[in-house]
Structure formats: structure tokens, C-alpha cells
Amino acid sequence: MTDREFLRRLRRYARQRRLAVAYLPEHGKGSHAQVRLGERTTTLRHGELGRGLLRKMLGDLDIDKKEF
């Protein structure tokens, strides 16, 4: 999964649950950006996301992988 696909799915997930999503590239260094889902935050890197990184990001945002 790429960073763009992750953002699309995250926005769809948030819309269904009426949560706010914010993509904040100014809060990251280099090719990283901060993503907020409600009160939870995680760091999103540019490019391909591995399975372990995806699992950690979903955990940071308190999202069940099966629901995502």
C-alpha cells in the first residue's frame, strides 16, 4: 500500500465514522508528514508502506485492521 492509498482509505474510514482527518506535511521532516484522526496522530512517510509500518500506524490511530 502506498501513502496515497492509505490517505484515501483513511478519509473514507473517517467519513463513515464522522471523524476529522488532517494531513499535515509541515509537521514532518523530509519525506514524512503527520496525520491526525480525531485526537490520535501518526507519522506517514512517502512511498510504499510495509506491513509492519502499516500495522503500527493503524495502532497509533486506534483502528482495527479488519475495519480499515
Side-chain angles (χ1 to χ4, degrees):
M1 174 180 297
T2 65
D3 59 325
R4 290 178 181 257
E5 184 180 352
F6 178 80
L7 277 175
R8 276 194 309 270
R9 290 174 118 186
L10 184 64
R11 286 181 177 135
R12 186 178 326 132
Y13 176 87
R15 219 178 8 254
Q16 292 171 351
R17 287 155 181 78
R18 298 175 193 233
L19 296 171
V21 175
Y23 174 72
L24 307 166
E26 63 273 6
H27 287 275
K29 288 188 171 184
S31 62
H32 293 71
Q34 188 180 64
V35 177
R36 289 188 183 156
L37 177 67
E39 297 294 319
R40 312 279 302 203
T41 64
T42 191
T43 302
L44 176 64
R45 77 169 200 197
H46 179 71
E48 189 69 29
L49 306 175
R51 288 175 32 194
L53 179 59
L54 177 62
R55 189 177 306 121
K56 184 196 179 307
M57 289 170 35
L58 291 175
D60 290 344
L61 297 173
D62 198 28
I63 298 174
D64 183 28
K65 187 177 180 189
K66 293 177 183 175
E67 293 179 11
F68 191 69

